[in-house]
Amino acid sequence: MDERNYLSTWQKYMPVIRLHLKRSLQDEQQFKLNITDFEAAGSRGKSGYTFNINIENGKVTNNISGSAVARDLYELLKADEAVKAILKDKNVKISVGKSFVLNIKTTHLSSYR
């Protein structure tokens, strides 16, 4: 299992991710990732780099243990003070599909549960 191979790759994207997270408060955001950055960090082979992360009030609500790419991204997100402020009281879905586009969709958590 690859351990933390993608941290430095995601670190390069953090300024862009931070910006898109802020913008996602108004509209769903997406931007293209450079697949060669990730291939240089570690080979995912047929499993690819696709993943979904569901974050509710700063905590992951789905199982990302099988995706080193997703785990490393979440590790950086939860360590970033600006990102933590954005994630507070929000439901955020972050995904990467086969076309290697990162999607961010944010909704406010309802106080009526």
Side-chain angles (χ1 to χ4, degrees):
M1 185 181 331
D2 351 63
E3 286 300 315
R4 307 164 69 95
N5 290 353
Y6 302 98
L7 283 174
S8 60
T9 305
W10 282 122
Q11 191 65 53
K12 290 194 317 192
Y13 284 99
M14 279 308 288
V16 178
I17 291 171
R18 230 180 266 116
L19 176 69
H20 283 284
L21 265 170
K22 284 181 194 162
R23 288 181 179 169
S24 74
L25 297 172
Q26 273 72 46
D27 279 317
E28 188 170 341
Q29 296 292 304
Q30 46 185 223
F31 63 96
K32 184 101 170 113
L33 299 169
N34 185 345
I35 193 163
T36 54
D37 290 341
F38 291 86
E39 288 172 340
S43 174
R44 299 290 300 149
K46 285 197 181 297
S47 63
Y49 300 90
T50 63
F51 65 85
N52 290 295
I53 305 176
N54 298 322
I55 303 170
E56 196 171 289
N57 201 17
K59 304 268 188 258
V60 171
T61 59
N62 63 320
N63 184 357
I64 59 170
S65 65
S67 172
V69 182
R71 283 193 316 266
D72 288 356
L73 173 57
Y74 178 65
E75 189 168 323
L76 286 176
L77 293 175
K78 70 180 182 179
D80 187 291
E81 291 302 320
V83 170
K84 281 199 308 196
I86 295 168
L87 296 177
K88 185 171 170 34
D89 299 325
K90 309 283 185 320
N91 190 355
V92 179
K93 291 183 183 355
I94 300 174
S95 62
V96 172
K98 293 205 184 303
S99 58
F100 226 63
V101 173
L102 184 96
N103 290 289
I104 304 173
K105 183 175 183 176
T106 300
T107 53
H108 291 270
L109 288 177
S110 170
S111 52
Y112 306 103
R113 288 199 184 205

